[in-house]
Amino acid sequence: MSDGLPPLREVVAKYELNAKKSLGQNFLFDLNLTGRIARAAGASDEATFLEIGPGPGGLTRALLAHGAKKVIAVERDDRCLAALEEVAAAYPGRLKLVPGDALALDYPAFLAEQGVTGPARICANLPYNIGTQLLVGWLTQKQWPPFYDRMVLMFQREVAERIVAGPQKRADYGRLGVLANWRCETKILFDVPPAAFTPPPKVTSSVVELRPRAKLLECDAAALERVTAAAFGQRRKMLRQALKGLGVDPLALLEAAGIEPTRRAEEISVEGFVALACALSASLAIQ
Ligand code: SAM
């Protein structure tokens, strides 16, 4: 889709946007690919899009060209802002640029300040060095349903596989998979080869979709974090051993959750971990 703006490679040359590793910069120039991500995110839906790290604007342009009425883009690298201003000028009133650190934002308050009333849609080719940290922050929001109605995010494939993994994919299943699948329905949409990026990363990437579950299994996120950290911290050990560090009797905890003490972390479903987290909260409350 042509937007009358110069090709991204020209933009990068004009503004001297040589990629910085420290900012996790691997840019996308392929319009077919950015268009595919934008369509996967439902760019033409009535939604406000929140993009983290627009960089020179490849995905931003795709979202706008595919119909996004409003994109709020948070970018830490000030060098990119002049290039992004050109995109904003080509789509009057539809792109709001926010210079700043995406890790430092209180998202519900930030979106309220931006005048966003409904849930936002997060769509981003995340900086690989802080992608997991950002995702965990979005997944552990106190308010649920959260401030977003969907996330369509690019990660390194290895991280994407951990996000979607359940006990049937034991090698990848861990704390991230439990958290992500407790709060969202998750799936990998498609892979993206290293050659699609400039500069190319060493590994394949994947676009992941996460949709918040309307009905959550009740449990305290901090308790869930504690049981999964203990269980997967010693994933080869039986749970009766691995859960010893929690400061409560592991056998009583496992019995309350209806889990056999000889099981290992990687065999336990999300529901099982939620039951363990509830048992831990209850047990700490009466101590
Ligand atoms: N969206 C662009 C694309 O697809 O070509 C760039 C993606 S690049 C993988 C990640 C972007 O995130 C870079 O533009 C980088 O400057 C930005 N970034 C890195 N750390 C950030 C942070 N803490 N807050 C906001 N943006 C950040």
Side-chain angles (χ1 to χ4, degrees):
M1 230 179 249
S2 166
D3 51 17
L5 288 161
L8 283 154
R9 284 185 195 284
E10 275 180 30
V11 173
V12 165
K14 177 175 167 190
Y15 293 100
E16 299 180 20
L17 301 178
N18 53 310
K20 282 191 186 168
K21 206 173 169 193
S22 61
L23 287 172
Q25 291 183 335
N26 299 95
F27 301 135
L28 292 173
F29 296 150
D30 178 347
L31 298 186
N32 289 324
L33 181 61
T34 52
R36 193 172 173 202
I37 301 170
R39 283 193 302 277
S44 58
D45 293 354
E46 279 296 327
T48 297
F49 288 83
L50 175 61
E51 188 190 0
I52 304 304
L59 182 55
T60 325
R61 284 164 60 165
L63 285 166
L64 291 162
H66 283 78
K69 301 209 171 40
K70 182 87 191 172
V71 179
I72 299 174
V74 181
E75 175 56 63
R76 187 167 177 187
D77 185 353
D78 290 346
R79 298 178 310 158
C80 298
L81 295 177
L84 292 164
E85 292 293 356
E86 283 192 29
V87 182
Y91 293 94
R94 289 168 59 191
L95 173 60
K96 175 75 193 288
L97 299 172
V98 182
D101 179 359
L103 283 173
L105 289 179
D106 170 347
Y107 283 87
F110 167 68
L111 289 170
E113 270 163 34
Q114 297 293 325
V116 180
T117 46
R121 177 91 41 97
I122 310 178
C123 181
N125 169 18
L126 292 175
Y128 68 92
N129 43 357
I130 58 165
T132 311
Q133 199 181 340
L134 284 168
L135 177 65
V136 169
W138 296 330
L139 288 170
T140 49
Q141 291 292 307
K142 284 213 163 52
Q143 182 81 22
W144 206 267
F147 65 87
Y148 51 88
D149 69 354
R150 203 193 302 179
M151 303 192 269
V152 173
L153 305 171
M154 177 96 75
F155 291 96
Q156 293 179 298
R157 185 163 70 185
E158 171 261 324
V159 178
E161 280 168 353
R162 288 198 284 121
I163 293 168
V164 302
Q168 50 299 20
K169 286 234 34 215
R170 289 193 186 173
D172 300 317
Y173 187 41
R175 292 158 68 180
L176 188 57
V178 173
L179 174 63
N181 292 290
W182 169 47
R183 292 222 129 168
C184 292
E185 286 175 41
T186 65
K187 67 175 171 201
I188 292 180
L189 297 181
F190 53 88
D191 288 342
V192 181
F197 299 86
T198 302
K202 289 200 177 68
V203 295
T204 297
S205 300
S206 305
V207 175
V208 182
E209 177 191 271
L210 299 102
R211 290 182 189 240
R213 293 187 190 278
K215 277 198 114 206
L216 268 194
L217 292 171
E218 282 288 321
C219 113
D220 172 46
L224 185 65
E225 170 56 21
R226 284 186 63 190
V227 288
T228 55
F232 287 105
Q234 301 187 71
R235 60 193 297 145
R236 303 271 165 254
K237 296 230 168 93
M238 292 177 190
L239 287 173
R240 66 179 180 209
Q241 178 68 29
L243 298 184
K244 272 190 177 157
L246 288 176
V248 295
D249 176 9
L251 290 176
L253 211 58
L254 287 157
E255 192 183 349
I259 296 172
E260 287 168 39
T262 51
R263 295 266 179 203
R264 292 175 170 80
E266 54 200 23
E267 299 171 319
I268 306 302
S269 65
V270 172
E271 291 77 12
F273 279 112
V274 168
L276 274 171
C278 291
L280 177 64
S281 299
S283 154
L284 292 174
I286 54 170
Q287 260 183 7

